[in-house]
Amino acid sequence: MHRRLRMLSLANVTLHRGRTRVLDDVSLVVDEGELVALIGANGAGKTTVLRTISGILKPSTGTITFRGKPIQGADPGAIVRLGIAHCPEERKIWPDMSVQEHLELGAFIRNDGDVDADMERIFETFPVLKERREQLAGTLSGGQQQMLAIGRALMSRPSLVLFDEPSLGLAPIMVETIGTMIAGIRDRGATVLLVEQNASLALRLADRAYVLETGRITLTGPAQAMIENPEVHRAYLGG
């Protein structure tokens, strides 16, 4: 049986804000080619985990390794250059920049000659963005802005994509569309760590999952086992 390579590892990561311990001894792993979900209630610390991985926040203790190299405390730009893209909560779109300018910004770390070809691939994946390439991002619908945020993240050619609440505020039909697109990103070779308030969506997409409660990992296992777990079903799946 083929053994997957370890891509990302958090070991005993703790983070404080003032005297408050926001993350408490968090350990998790993501192997190459996996889609791993991190679920939990609002305020559990899910977004903080992603921001700590991407260098926006600095852990108090613990280690974060990417492809075997420690990255905790590194500058966010350096982490992007290693191959980690962060698609943030609430999309963080600049309303007065065009669709194309957002995608060009996503490729700012690159100096190869394939940026235009990659942009065309983004347009093939999200045809509505091609139709609106000169349109200001602030005039797009919420679903279109989420597509743009995903496309911008992919323009850096990441090997690991961190998604933070990609379904937030979207209509149900668009939630399913975004879910299909995230699964497709994994199927095309990228590795995904997905934070998602919609636990049903996250567990349907994921290979494995972690439950985060008040800054601590309380449960982990295959996604299907999580779906069948009565406690998870009761707390997060409405059962």
Side-chain angles (χ1 to χ4, degrees):
M1 182 177 178
H2 176 67
R3 180 181 175 84
R4 284 175 164 166
L5 298 175
R6 182 62 38 82
M7 179 169 282
L8 176 74
S9 176
L10 277 67
N12 310 114
V13 170
T14 297
L15 184 140
H16 292 83
R17 285 182 180 162
R19 295 185 177 182
T20 302
R21 185 176 292 189
V22 183
L23 299 181
D24 187 3
D25 205 33
V26 170
S27 295
L28 63 82
V29 298
V30 182
D31 290 339
E32 190 168 2
E34 279 193 308
L35 196 162
V36 174
L38 180 63
I39 65 172
N42 279 331
K46 304 184 302 297
T47 291
T48 300
V49 169
L50 296 193
R51 289 177 175 173
T52 304
I53 294 168
S54 61
I56 298 170
L57 300 174
K58 311 303 181 187
S60 308
T61 60
T63 58
I64 304 172
T65 57
F66 179 67
R67 296 192 186 279
K69 297 181 178 180
I71 62 170
Q72 71 275 3
D75 179 78
I79 289 174
V80 172
R81 289 180 174 85
L82 290 174
I84 300 176
H86 187 172
C87 195
E89 185 181 18
E90 298 178 348
R91 300 180 276 277
K92 301 296 189 291
I93 295 298
W94 287 275
D96 295 328
M97 288 176 59
S98 72
V99 166
Q100 180 158 331
E101 287 171 334
H102 275 84
L103 297 178
E104 290 170 347
L105 182 63
F108 81 99
I109 65 166
R110 295 174 52 184
N111 56 11
D112 58 85
D114 297 330
V115 171
D116 289 343
D118 282 354
M119 189 174 296
E120 286 305 313
R121 278 190 280 272
I122 297 297
F123 287 146
E124 289 172 11
T125 304
F126 306 109
V128 68
L129 296 184
K130 185 171 186 177
E131 296 170 8
R132 291 163 171 74
R133 65 190 302 165
E134 301 301 330
Q135 190 170 321
L136 296 182
T139 65
L140 300 176
S141 70
Q144 291 164 359
Q145 288 186 4
Q146 186 62 70
M147 293 178 194
L148 180 56
I150 294 172
R152 180 182 59 193
L154 295 180
M155 284 298 294
S156 66
R157 280 196 175 176
S159 51
L160 172 64
V161 187
L162 312 176
F163 284 105
D164 193 358
E165 304 285 8
S167 77
L168 186 68
L170 300 183
I173 189 169
M174 185 54 65
V175 169
E176 293 301 318
T177 298
I178 293 298
T180 299
M181 290 174 178
I182 290 171
I185 290 167
R186 185 270 311 275
D187 293 342
R188 288 193 295 272
T191 302
V192 174
L193 177 58
L194 170 65
V195 158
E196 179 55 64
Q197 185 71 24
N198 184 335
S200 176
L201 173 69
L203 294 177
R204 281 192 284 115
L205 295 175
D207 301 300
R208 292 187 302 108
Y210 293 84
V211 175
L212 189 71
E213 296 181 355
T214 58
R216 292 185 65 89
I217 298 292
T218 59
L219 189 65
T220 182
Q224 187 58 41
M226 294 281 201
I227 292 171
E228 296 168 359
N229 183 303
E231 292 184 11
V232 173
H233 206 279
R234 183 167 51 252
Y236 302 108
L237 301 177

